[in-house]
Amino acid sequence: MIKSFRTGFTAAAVTAALVALTPAAGASSSAPAAPTDQVTVDVDSVNGSGCRPGSAAVAVSPDNSAFTVTYSEYLAQAGGGVSAVEGRKNCLLSLDVHVPQGYTYAVAKVDYRGFGSLAPGAVGTQKASYYFQGMSQTAQRTHKFNGELVDNWQATDTTGIEALVFAPCGEQRNFNINTELRAEVGTSDPSHTSFMALDSTDGSINSVYHFSWKQCPVRR
């Protein structure tokens, strides 16, 4: 039954995921434009109970405004006799991001989408933090969802312009994404299984990471 929920995303949710790859409405026209040359993002390493090697795929949007991460096995569940270790899943992705010479980037906004089936009284949690290799980790962003819930869910992390952390110009540092999913029985009937999923077996639902671009100073 869980499998059918995980693949049963609505057409509206698929459309929303695709729309998220286009520049946001009302975005400031003064924001630096994305480079026109190709940007690539590759998975350098993957660790965690929610994303075994090969279960996370990355793609860059055609206009270089964002990249997506699609998981195929990221699910936390609790209740119904499920082992307690299944209640918390995590994933640490280390991404090798190559940008055109003269540019650097930060991640200004992230949209997470998934599916949740939470019995009345059950609780689901999604957490995330981000950092460049060798630099301090950002504060963890946490989003909670209370049952009853049997629907697609969405969580958005946004960083203000003044707080953006850009990759150092002229250096190649991996961009690390540390995420966590939890499902807890809470006050729900413990015989009922509740779950939170970030996965999509058909690739239609993904997490969208929006770039903020900046040109590096010209070296003389």
Side-chain angles (χ1 to χ4, degrees):
M1 191 64 180
I2 287 179
K3 191 68 174 179
S4 66
F5 276 126
R6 290 162 61 190
T7 57
F9 295 102
T10 65
V14 174
T15 302
L18 296 175
V19 169
L21 283 176
T22 62
S28 172
S29 60
S30 62
T36 55
D37 292 342
Q38 185 178 17
V39 173
T40 63
V41 181
D42 298 308
V43 178
D44 190 48
S45 66
V46 54
N47 292 284
S49 56
C51 57
R52 66 177 180 83
S55 66
V58 181
V60 181
S61 65
D63 63 358
N64 293 331
S65 66
F67 68 90
T68 64
V69 178
T70 305
Y71 302 94
S72 61
E73 299 180 0
Y74 205 164
L75 175 134
Q77 53 186 326
V82 173
S83 171
V85 299
E86 296 297 315
R88 176 188 177 275
K89 294 297 179 75
N90 72 295
C91 181
L92 175 58
L93 285 179
S94 185
L95 303 180
D96 187 6
V97 183
H98 285 273
V99 304
Q101 187 174 4
Y103 283 86
T104 185
Y105 72 94
V107 171
K109 178 183 175 184
V110 187
D111 295 315
Y112 292 99
R113 293 181 177 86
F115 190 87
S117 178
L118 300 174
V123 180
T125 305
Q126 185 269 329
K127 297 181 180 180
S129 58
Y130 323 90
Y131 60 100
F132 290 104
Q133 181 181 7
M135 300 174 68
S136 298
Q137 188 163 320
T138 63
Q140 195 169 66
R141 315 288 179 85
T142 301
H143 304 274
K144 285 190 175 293
F145 301 85
N146 297 311
E148 182 178 16
L149 171 70
V150 183
D151 203 352
N152 301 299
W153 59 265
Q154 177 174 336
T156 298
D157 294 342
T158 304
T159 303
I161 293 176
E162 71 286 348
L164 288 176
V165 177
F166 285 84
C169 285
E171 297 183 25
Q172 185 59 40
R173 299 197 186 194
N174 280 12
F175 180 65
N176 298 319
I177 302 169
N178 194 5
T179 59
E180 178 183 319
L181 275 184
R182 285 181 182 267
E184 298 172 275
V185 171
T187 60
S188 69
D189 183 342
S191 67
H192 293 169
T193 301
S194 294
F195 70 86
M196 288 286 288
L198 247 180
D199 68 345
S200 173
T201 54
D202 61 2
S204 61
I205 298 297
N206 43 41
S207 302
V208 184
Y209 296 78
H210 301 266
F211 285 122
S212 181
W213 291 101
K214 184 168 70 174
Q215 288 188 302
C216 294
V218 177
R219 295 184 177 180
R220 301 184 182 279

